[in-house]
């Protein structure tokens, strides 16, 4: 074996500044106005708590004091916040963005009430899985997506503020580079925190992966950031070895051991950067069935350490709402956002419950005049806002899945801008909330200009098509007549296409509700609720058995009532959110009646997140 072989080594990429195809700075963004959708303010008049009202100084006048929950793409929501007085106001940002894991995250959807309410001759009351968001990215899209948002987050952050990004090892190496580039790699980087959790071992041919990575950066580099030191309990042995005092052990530069008494000698040792915290147990009252929900204990540590009471805490990938819940419990103000309607509903539900608990706790404190143990909430109300229209009857991710299944599109993560392949053709699925427009076609043109190697025919799948887009395509294809021309465009228009069109029909859920005035009370009685989609799902899951729902309430997740509905913003006067999965909503409500004629609205949200609004003048 004397023959010399030359082993090729790939070139190093160069300076630690990450580069990717299509990297572009975010020079400007367009900010759109937000629409106010819903308010939850169970305590009359005061949205903020009186003792902490001074923390609201400087809050933009266009927003009521209280939590802000935004439904929309966070790029647009962050732009909106920047344009509306929140620049430099946020003290702590925690984000837990999609991990680029190549997975669709699904939420298990079940009927309420279990066996007593739904008779299905099998043992399952499962409505199957509802895709909450998709995490299939082409490499460069993911980096550009994160980069743009990081740049916006930095603008919103207070000079003394902190930014924490939660990710896992699939992307941590890239994320660190992005964070260094955006925040600075000098003194702004504070810690890499490791969240260590236990889980069932998998059968992989590698070490068990049992941790996530969190990167903490500050905006400034002058050490003026908030840091409330946390401690962890030291072992009794460590403590007793030194006369019962609690000691911190520090290694000096020379490597010798120095033992020092902590100032607060009952607190233990300063917390390390590896945190073992259990995942939220399915039986825990914090558990929401939301995939990727993070434990409240983890977020509470971050919020406690890196912000003070009254500070604004932002999470723009809020999922099941853990960050808002932690902030609400710890007396911080909060702003949250998610693109997914299921996430907004889950978050709103959790916050309503926490706020109700806080109100009850405050009443008890008044009654028995004990010491308060938990921080005073900064607000007892919140609003749901929407930037652009994401309120689809069929969620985009689910629509893509349906379209792929019915048309036979093979989804591929590596195709970037395209959603999948149909034979050799590349497929782009247009979000169902808007018809195929010339703008989509211009985007395609840009994509093809940048990727000259792509010669495939392009298929657009859309619900409908604008007239101008039809002309655009005719012109485009006219130039591509004959055998060997590339990138012809075809369109599958689902609404009219006889071959594919039928599956997209959506039969909305309906409710039978009586709303009456009875003296000084408004009486609301829900008599029936039918969701054809839920029934279809039950039949789909159990094709051999006929699903029979014996109590309509099993389909209903929660009910909200507004006794003075103005036709625009839903003000939650009453919310019925059963605490446990097996509990059912009441269905019968009696509320104080406003004087004079009023419009009452009842909002019923089913287990798949579909909303039915019944409005009555009484
Ligand atoms: C990993 S989950 C967050 C989980 C959350 N930390 C919790 O404890 O429940 C990521 C969330 O980001 C949301 N998301 C993804 N892309 C988004 C976007 N462009 N704008 C807003 N939210 C987005 C998803 O809908 C999902 O709920």
């Amino acid at each position: 074996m004397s023959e010399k072989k030359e082993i090729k080594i790939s070139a190093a990429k160069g300076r630690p500044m990450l580069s990717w195809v299509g990297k572009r700075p975010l020079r400007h963004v367009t900010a759109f106005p937000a629409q106010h959708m819903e308010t939850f303010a169970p305590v009359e008049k005061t949205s903020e708590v009186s003792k902490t009202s001074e923390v609201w100084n400087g809050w933009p006048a266009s927003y009521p004091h209280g939590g802000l929950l935004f439904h929309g793409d966070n790029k647009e929501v962050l732009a909106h916040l920047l344009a509306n007085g929140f620049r430099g106001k946020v003290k702590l940002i925690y984000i837990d963005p999609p991990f680029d894991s190549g997975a669709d995250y699904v939420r298990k959807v079940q009927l309420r009430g279990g066996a007593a309410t739904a008779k299905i001759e099998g043992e399952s009351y499962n409505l199957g899985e509802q895709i909450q968001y998709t995490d299939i990215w082409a490499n460069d899209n993911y980096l550009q997506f994160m980069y743009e948002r990081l740049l916006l987050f930095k603008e919103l952050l207070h000079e003394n503020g902190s930014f924490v990004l939660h990710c896992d090892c699939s992307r941590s190496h890239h994320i660190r580079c992005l964070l260094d580039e955006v925040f600075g790699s000098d003194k702004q980087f504070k810690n890499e925190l490791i969240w260590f959790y236990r889980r069932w071992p998998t059968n992989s041919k590698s070490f068990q992966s049992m941790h996530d990575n969190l990167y903490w950066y500050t905006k400034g580099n002058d050490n003026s950031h908030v840091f409330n030191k946390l401690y962890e309990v030291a072992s009794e042995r460590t403590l007793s070895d030194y006369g019962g005092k609690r000691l911190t052990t520090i290694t000096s530069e020379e490597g010798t051991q120095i033992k020092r008494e902590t100032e607060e000698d009952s607190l233990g040792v300063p917390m390390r950067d590896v945190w073992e915290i259990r995942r939220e147990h399915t039986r825990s009252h914090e558990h929401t069935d939301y995939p990727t929900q993070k434990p409240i204990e983890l977020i509470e540590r971050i919020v406690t350490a890196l912000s003070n009471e009254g500070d604004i805490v932002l999470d723009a990938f809020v999922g099941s709402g853990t960050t808002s819940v932690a902030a609400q419990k710890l007396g911080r103000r909060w702003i949250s956002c998610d693109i997914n309607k299921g996430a907004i509903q889950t978050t709103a539900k959790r916050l309503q419950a926490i706020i109700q608990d806080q109100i009850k706790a405050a009443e008890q404190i008044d009654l028995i005049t004990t010491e308060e143990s938990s921080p005073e909430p900064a607000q007892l109300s919140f609003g749901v806002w929407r930037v652009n229209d994401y309120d689809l009857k069929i969620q985009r991710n689910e629509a893509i899945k349906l379209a792929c299944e019915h048309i036979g599109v093979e989804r591929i993560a590596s195709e970037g801008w395209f959603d999948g392949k149909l034979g050799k053709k590349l497929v782009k699925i247009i979000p169902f909330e808007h018809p195929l427009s010339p703008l989509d076609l211009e985007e395609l043109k840009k994509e093809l200009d940048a990727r000259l190697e792509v010669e495939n025919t392009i298929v657009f799948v859309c619900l409908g098509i604008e007239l101008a887009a039809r002309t655009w395509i005719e012109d485009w294809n006219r130039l591509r007549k004959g055998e060997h021309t590339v990138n012809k465009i075809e369109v599958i228009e689902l609404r009219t296409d006889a071959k594919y069109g039928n599956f997209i029909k959506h039969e909305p859920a309906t409710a039978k509700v009586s709303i009456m005035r009875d003296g000084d009370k408004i009486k609301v009685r829900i008599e029936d609720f039918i969701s054809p989609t839920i029934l279809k799902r039950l039949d789909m899951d159990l094709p051999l058995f006929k699903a029979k729902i014996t109590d309509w309430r099993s389909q209903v997740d929660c009910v909200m009532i507004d006794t003075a509905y103005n036709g625009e913003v839903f003000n939650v006067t009453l919310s019925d959110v059963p605490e446990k999965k097996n509990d059912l909503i009441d269905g019968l409500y009696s509320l104080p009646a406003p004087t004079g004629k009023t419009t009452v609205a009842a909002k019923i949200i089913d287990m798949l997140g579909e909303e039915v609004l019944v409005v009555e003048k009484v």
Side-chain angles (χ1 to χ4, degrees), residues 72-75 94 96-99 105 132-134 137 145 149 288 290-295 299 315-323 337-340 343 350:
D73 185 324
N74 49 20
K75 185 173 170 189
Y94 164 88
D96 170 22
F99 284 3
Y105 284 101
Q132 290 302 296
Y133 66 94
T134 191
W137 303 79
F145 171 94
R149 279 145 186 92
T288 62
Y290 199 83
T292 73
Q293 175 183 358
K294 299 300 174 296
I299 316 279
D315 183 345
F317 294 90
V318 82
S320 64
T322 316
T323 310
C337 162
D338 205 286
I339 198 166
N340 185 291
R350 277 177 93 183

Short mmCIF file of all heavy atoms in Angstrom, two decimals, residues 72-75 94 96-99 105 132-134 137 145 149 288 290-295 299 315-323 337-340 343 350, ligand 1:
data_model
loop_
_atom_site.label_atom_id
_atom_site.label_comp_id
_atom_site.label_asym_id
_atom_site.label_seq_id
_atom_site.Cartn_x
_atom_site.Cartn_y
_atom_site.Cartn_z
N GLY A 72 -50.81 36.26 13.52
CA GLY A 72 -50.27 36.67 12.23
C GLY A 72 -48.84 36.21 12.07
O GLY A 72 -48.24 35.66 13.00
N ASP A 73 -48.29 36.44 10.90
CA ASP A 73 -46.88 36.13 10.66
C ASP A 73 -46.05 37.11 11.46
O ASP A 73 -46.26 38.32 11.38
CB ASP A 73 -46.58 36.27 9.16
CG ASP A 73 -45.16 35.83 8.83
OD1 ASP A 73 -44.25 36.07 9.66
OD2 ASP A 73 -44.96 35.27 7.75
N ASN A 74 -45.08 36.61 12.22
CA ASN A 74 -44.38 37.52 13.12
C ASN A 74 -43.56 38.58 12.40
O ASN A 74 -43.31 39.64 12.96
CB ASN A 74 -43.55 36.77 14.16
CG ASN A 74 -42.70 35.70 13.55
OD1 ASN A 74 -42.43 35.74 12.36
ND2 ASN A 74 -42.28 34.74 14.36
N LYS A 75 -43.21 38.34 11.16
CA LYS A 75 -42.48 39.40 10.46
C LYS A 75 -43.38 40.63 10.35
O LYS A 75 -42.96 41.77 10.60
CB LYS A 75 -42.07 38.91 9.07
CG LYS A 75 -41.22 39.90 8.32
CD LYS A 75 -40.70 39.33 7.04
CE LYS A 75 -40.06 40.41 6.19
NZ LYS A 75 -39.73 39.93 4.86
N TYR A 94 -38.01 36.05 24.39
CA TYR A 94 -37.69 34.62 24.36
C TYR A 94 -38.35 34.07 23.12
O TYR A 94 -39.53 34.36 22.87
CB TYR A 94 -38.23 33.91 25.61
CG TYR A 94 -38.28 32.40 25.46
CD1 TYR A 94 -37.19 31.61 25.79
CD2 TYR A 94 -39.42 31.76 24.97
CE1 TYR A 94 -37.22 30.22 25.63
CE2 TYR A 94 -39.47 30.38 24.81
CZ TYR A 94 -38.37 29.63 25.14
OH TYR A 94 -38.41 28.25 24.98
N ASP A 96 -38.80 30.47 20.58
CA ASP A 96 -38.62 29.03 20.41
C ASP A 96 -39.15 28.75 19.01
O ASP A 96 -40.26 28.25 18.84
CB ASP A 96 -39.44 28.35 21.53
CG ASP A 96 -39.57 26.87 21.37
OD1 ASP A 96 -38.74 26.27 20.68
OD2 ASP A 96 -40.53 26.31 21.95
N PRO A 97 -38.37 29.13 17.99
CA PRO A 97 -38.90 29.05 16.63
C PRO A 97 -38.90 27.61 16.13
O PRO A 97 -38.35 26.74 16.80
CB PRO A 97 -37.91 29.89 15.83
CG PRO A 97 -36.65 29.86 16.60
CD PRO A 97 -37.00 29.65 18.04
N PRO A 98 -39.51 27.36 14.97
CA PRO A 98 -39.42 26.02 14.41
C PRO A 98 -37.95 25.63 14.30
O PRO A 98 -37.10 26.48 14.04
CB PRO A 98 -40.03 26.19 13.02
CG PRO A 98 -40.83 27.42 13.09
CD PRO A 98 -40.21 28.30 14.11
N PHE A 99 -37.66 24.37 14.51
CA PHE A 99 -36.26 23.92 14.58
C PHE A 99 -35.68 23.51 13.24
O PHE A 99 -34.59 22.99 13.20
CB PHE A 99 -36.16 22.69 15.47
CG PHE A 99 -36.24 22.97 16.93
CD1 PHE A 99 -36.45 24.24 17.41
CD2 PHE A 99 -36.09 21.93 17.83
CE1 PHE A 99 -36.53 24.48 18.76
CE2 PHE A 99 -36.17 22.16 19.19
CZ PHE A 99 -36.39 23.44 19.66
N TYR A 105 -45.63 19.45 12.75
CA TYR A 105 -46.02 19.25 14.13
C TYR A 105 -47.52 19.14 14.23
O TYR A 105 -48.24 19.96 13.68
CB TYR A 105 -45.52 20.41 14.99
CG TYR A 105 -44.06 20.30 15.25
CD1 TYR A 105 -43.15 21.05 14.52
CD2 TYR A 105 -43.58 19.40 16.18
CE1 TYR A 105 -41.80 20.93 14.74
CE2 TYR A 105 -42.23 19.26 16.40
CZ TYR A 105 -41.34 20.03 15.68
OH TYR A 105 -40.01 19.89 15.89
N GLN A 132 -50.35 21.74 13.34
CA GLN A 132 -50.29 23.06 13.93
C GLN A 132 -49.34 23.97 13.15
O GLN A 132 -49.60 25.13 12.97
CB GLN A 132 -49.85 22.98 15.38
CG GLN A 132 -50.93 22.36 16.24
CD GLN A 132 -52.23 23.14 16.17
OE1 GLN A 132 -52.30 24.29 16.57
NE2 GLN A 132 -53.27 22.52 15.66
N TYR A 133 -48.25 23.45 12.77
CA TYR A 133 -47.40 24.22 11.87
C TYR A 133 -46.43 23.28 11.20
O TYR A 133 -46.19 22.17 11.66
CB TYR A 133 -46.68 25.35 12.59
CG TYR A 133 -45.67 24.92 13.61
CD1 TYR A 133 -44.34 24.79 13.27
CD2 TYR A 133 -46.07 24.65 14.91
CE1 TYR A 133 -43.41 24.42 14.22
CE2 TYR A 133 -45.15 24.27 15.86
CZ TYR A 133 -43.82 24.15 15.51
OH TYR A 133 -42.91 23.77 16.45
N THR A 134 -45.90 23.74 10.11
CA THR A 134 -45.02 22.86 9.38
C THR A 134 -43.59 23.32 9.55
O THR A 134 -43.32 24.50 9.69
CB THR A 134 -45.45 22.77 7.90
OG1 THR A 134 -44.73 21.72 7.30
CG2 THR A 134 -45.25 24.07 7.17
N TRP A 137 -38.28 22.95 5.70
CA TRP A 137 -37.66 24.11 5.09
C TRP A 137 -36.55 23.67 4.16
O TRP A 137 -35.90 22.68 4.40
CB TRP A 137 -36.97 24.97 6.15
CG TRP A 137 -37.83 25.45 7.23
CD1 TRP A 137 -38.25 24.74 8.31
CD2 TRP A 137 -38.38 26.75 7.36
NE1 TRP A 137 -39.02 25.53 9.11
CE2 TRP A 137 -39.11 26.77 8.56
CE3 TRP A 137 -38.30 27.91 6.58
CZ2 TRP A 137 -39.78 27.90 8.99
CZ3 TRP A 137 -38.96 29.03 7.02
CH2 TRP A 137 -39.69 29.03 8.20
N PHE A 145 -35.26 33.36 6.78
CA PHE A 145 -36.43 33.54 7.65
C PHE A 145 -35.98 33.99 9.04
O PHE A 145 -36.47 34.98 9.60
CB PHE A 145 -37.18 32.19 7.73
CG PHE A 145 -38.30 32.13 8.74
CD1 PHE A 145 -39.61 32.39 8.37
CD2 PHE A 145 -38.06 31.76 10.06
CE1 PHE A 145 -40.65 32.31 9.30
CE2 PHE A 145 -39.09 31.68 11.00
CZ PHE A 145 -40.39 31.96 10.61
N ARG A 149 -36.07 37.97 10.99
CA ARG A 149 -36.76 38.17 12.26
C ARG A 149 -35.80 38.63 13.35
O ARG A 149 -36.14 39.48 14.18
CB ARG A 149 -37.52 36.90 12.65
CG ARG A 149 -38.84 36.85 11.88
CD ARG A 149 -39.28 35.49 11.47
NE ARG A 149 -40.48 35.55 10.62
CZ ARG A 149 -40.45 35.61 9.30
NH1 ARG A 149 -39.31 35.67 8.63
NH2 ARG A 149 -41.58 35.65 8.60
N THR A 288 -51.00 21.06 27.43
CA THR A 288 -52.02 21.57 26.51
C THR A 288 -52.26 20.71 25.28
O THR A 288 -53.08 21.05 24.45
CB THR A 288 -51.60 22.95 25.96
OG1 THR A 288 -50.39 22.78 25.22
CG2 THR A 288 -51.43 23.97 27.05
N TYR A 290 -50.36 20.76 22.93
CA TYR A 290 -49.72 21.47 21.83
C TYR A 290 -48.34 20.84 21.62
O TYR A 290 -47.58 20.70 22.56
CB TYR A 290 -49.56 22.96 22.16
CG TYR A 290 -49.33 23.79 20.92
CD1 TYR A 290 -50.39 24.21 20.15
CD2 TYR A 290 -48.04 24.12 20.51
CE1 TYR A 290 -50.19 24.95 19.00
CE2 TYR A 290 -47.83 24.86 19.36
CZ TYR A 290 -48.91 25.27 18.61
OH TYR A 290 -48.72 26.00 17.47
N PRO A 291 -48.04 20.45 20.39
CA PRO A 291 -46.74 19.81 20.19
C PRO A 291 -45.66 20.84 20.52
O PRO A 291 -45.88 22.03 20.32
CB PRO A 291 -46.73 19.49 18.70
CG PRO A 291 -47.69 20.45 18.10
CD PRO A 291 -48.73 20.72 19.12
N THR A 292 -44.54 20.40 21.00
CA THR A 292 -43.39 21.29 21.28
C THR A 292 -43.63 22.28 22.43
O THR A 292 -42.87 23.23 22.57
CB THR A 292 -42.92 22.10 20.05
OG1 THR A 292 -43.88 23.12 19.76
CG2 THR A 292 -42.70 21.26 18.83
N GLN A 293 -44.66 22.04 23.22
CA GLN A 293 -44.87 22.91 24.40
C GLN A 293 -43.66 22.79 25.32
O GLN A 293 -43.17 21.72 25.59
CB GLN A 293 -46.12 22.46 25.15
CG GLN A 293 -46.34 23.24 26.43
CD GLN A 293 -47.54 22.74 27.23
OE1 GLN A 293 -48.25 21.84 26.80
NE2 GLN A 293 -47.76 23.33 28.38
N LYS A 294 -43.17 23.92 25.81
CA LYS A 294 -42.03 23.90 26.72
C LYS A 294 -42.51 23.99 28.17
O LYS A 294 -43.56 24.59 28.44
CB LYS A 294 -41.09 25.08 26.41
CG LYS A 294 -40.53 25.04 25.01
CD LYS A 294 -39.73 23.79 24.75
CE LYS A 294 -39.26 23.61 23.32
NZ LYS A 294 -40.27 23.46 22.31
N PRO A 295 -41.74 23.42 29.09
CA PRO A 295 -42.20 23.46 30.49
C PRO A 295 -42.21 24.87 31.03
O PRO A 295 -41.28 25.65 30.78
CB PRO A 295 -41.18 22.59 31.24
CG PRO A 295 -40.11 22.25 30.29
CD PRO A 295 -40.49 22.69 28.92
N ILE A 299 -39.29 28.41 31.35
CA ILE A 299 -39.50 29.79 30.93
C ILE A 299 -39.55 30.71 32.15
O ILE A 299 -39.08 31.85 32.11
CB ILE A 299 -40.81 29.93 30.10
CG1 ILE A 299 -40.93 28.80 29.09
CG2 ILE A 299 -40.89 31.30 29.44
CD1 ILE A 299 -40.19 28.93 27.84
N ASP A 315 -42.75 37.16 23.07
CA ASP A 315 -42.48 35.88 22.41
C ASP A 315 -43.29 35.88 21.12
O ASP A 315 -44.52 35.95 21.15
CB ASP A 315 -42.90 34.71 23.31
CG ASP A 315 -42.55 33.36 22.68
OD1 ASP A 315 -42.26 33.32 21.48
OD2 ASP A 315 -42.58 32.35 23.41
N ALA A 316 -42.59 35.84 19.99
CA ALA A 316 -43.31 35.94 18.71
C ALA A 316 -43.48 34.58 18.04
O ALA A 316 -43.87 34.49 16.88
CB ALA A 316 -42.59 36.90 17.79
N PHE A 317 -43.15 33.50 18.76
CA PHE A 317 -43.44 32.13 18.30
C PHE A 317 -44.09 31.43 19.50
O PHE A 317 -43.58 30.44 20.00
CB PHE A 317 -42.15 31.39 17.95
CG PHE A 317 -41.39 31.93 16.78
CD1 PHE A 317 -40.42 32.91 16.94
CD2 PHE A 317 -41.62 31.43 15.49
CE1 PHE A 317 -39.68 33.38 15.86
CE2 PHE A 317 -40.89 31.90 14.41
CZ PHE A 317 -39.92 32.88 14.58
N VAL A 318 -45.20 31.94 19.95
CA VAL A 318 -45.62 31.63 21.33
C VAL A 318 -46.24 30.25 21.49
O VAL A 318 -46.32 29.73 22.59
CB VAL A 318 -46.55 32.74 21.86
CG1 VAL A 318 -47.99 32.56 21.40
CG2 VAL A 318 -46.46 32.83 23.36
N GLY A 319 -46.67 29.61 20.40
CA GLY A 319 -47.19 28.23 20.49
C GLY A 319 -48.34 28.15 21.47
O GLY A 319 -49.35 28.83 21.34
N SER A 320 -48.16 27.33 22.50
CA SER A 320 -49.24 27.13 23.47
C SER A 320 -49.31 28.25 24.49
O SER A 320 -50.12 28.20 25.41
CB SER A 320 -49.03 25.81 24.20
OG SER A 320 -47.84 25.87 24.95
N GLY A 321 -48.43 29.25 24.38
CA GLY A 321 -48.56 30.43 25.24
C GLY A 321 -47.70 30.41 26.50
O GLY A 321 -47.88 31.25 27.38
N THR A 322 -46.75 29.48 26.59
CA THR A 322 -46.01 29.32 27.85
C THR A 322 -45.34 30.62 28.31
O THR A 322 -45.37 30.95 29.50
CB THR A 322 -44.94 28.21 27.68
OG1 THR A 322 -45.55 27.11 27.00
CG2 THR A 322 -44.42 27.74 29.02
N THR A 323 -44.76 31.38 27.39
CA THR A 323 -44.07 32.60 27.80
C THR A 323 -45.05 33.63 28.37
O THR A 323 -44.77 34.26 29.38
CB THR A 323 -43.30 33.21 26.60
OG1 THR A 323 -42.53 32.19 26.00
CG2 THR A 323 -42.40 34.35 27.03
N CYS A 337 -47.22 36.38 19.91
CA CYS A 337 -47.68 36.27 18.53
C CYS A 337 -47.53 34.83 18.07
O CYS A 337 -46.61 34.13 18.47
CB CYS A 337 -46.81 37.20 17.69
SG CYS A 337 -46.84 36.85 15.93
N ASP A 338 -48.45 34.39 17.23
CA ASP A 338 -48.27 33.12 16.53
C ASP A 338 -49.07 33.18 15.24
O ASP A 338 -50.07 33.88 15.14
CB ASP A 338 -48.74 31.93 17.38
CG ASP A 338 -48.03 30.64 16.96
OD1 ASP A 338 -48.38 30.10 15.89
OD2 ASP A 338 -47.14 30.20 17.69
N ILE A 339 -48.59 32.43 14.26
CA ILE A 339 -49.26 32.44 12.96
C ILE A 339 -50.42 31.44 12.94
O ILE A 339 -51.28 31.48 12.07
CB ILE A 339 -48.24 32.10 11.85
CG1 ILE A 339 -48.75 32.52 10.49
CG2 ILE A 339 -47.85 30.64 11.87
CD1 ILE A 339 -47.70 32.53 9.41
N ASN A 340 -50.43 30.60 13.95
CA ASN A 340 -51.36 29.49 13.94
C ASN A 340 -52.57 29.76 14.81
O ASN A 340 -52.43 30.13 15.98
CB ASN A 340 -50.59 28.28 14.47
CG ASN A 340 -51.40 27.05 14.38
OD1 ASN A 340 -52.38 26.91 15.10
ND2 ASN A 340 -51.00 26.17 13.51
N ALA A 343 -52.77 27.88 18.04
CA ALA A 343 -51.86 28.40 19.08
C ALA A 343 -52.51 29.59 19.78
O ALA A 343 -52.46 29.72 21.00
CB ALA A 343 -50.54 28.82 18.44
N ARG A 350 -55.41 29.51 28.07
CA ARG A 350 -54.55 29.38 29.26
C ARG A 350 -54.52 30.68 30.04
O ARG A 350 -54.56 30.70 31.26
CB ARG A 350 -53.11 29.04 28.83
CG ARG A 350 -52.88 27.60 28.57
CD ARG A 350 -51.47 27.36 28.10
NE ARG A 350 -50.54 27.04 29.18
CZ ARG A 350 -49.25 26.85 29.00
NH1 ARG A 350 -48.72 26.97 27.78
NH2 ARG A 350 -48.45 26.54 30.01
C1 LIG B 1 -41.73 25.40 18.77
S1 LIG B 1 -43.30 26.17 18.71
C2 LIG B 1 -43.33 27.17 20.15
C3 LIG B 1 -43.75 26.41 21.37
C4 LIG B 1 -43.86 27.28 22.60
N1 LIG B 1 -42.57 27.69 23.11
C5 LIG B 1 -44.64 26.57 23.70
O1 LIG B 1 -44.13 26.42 24.83
O2 LIG B 1 -45.75 26.12 23.42
C6 LIG B 1 -43.10 27.31 17.38
C7 LIG B 1 -44.33 28.14 17.06
O3 LIG B 1 -43.97 29.10 16.10
C8 LIG B 1 -45.09 29.36 15.28
N2 LIG B 1 -44.64 29.97 14.04
C9 LIG B 1 -43.95 29.40 13.01
N3 LIG B 1 -43.71 30.33 12.06
C10 LIG B 1 -44.24 31.50 12.50
C11 LIG B 1 -44.32 32.81 11.95
N4 LIG B 1 -43.79 33.10 10.78
N5 LIG B 1 -44.94 33.77 12.67
C12 LIG B 1 -45.49 33.49 13.88
N6 LIG B 1 -45.44 32.25 14.44
C13 LIG B 1 -44.83 31.28 13.76
C14 LIG B 1 -45.73 27.98 15.10
O4 LIG B 1 -47.10 28.10 14.74
C15 LIG B 1 -45.51 27.38 16.48
O5 LIG B 1 -46.64 27.57 17.29
#
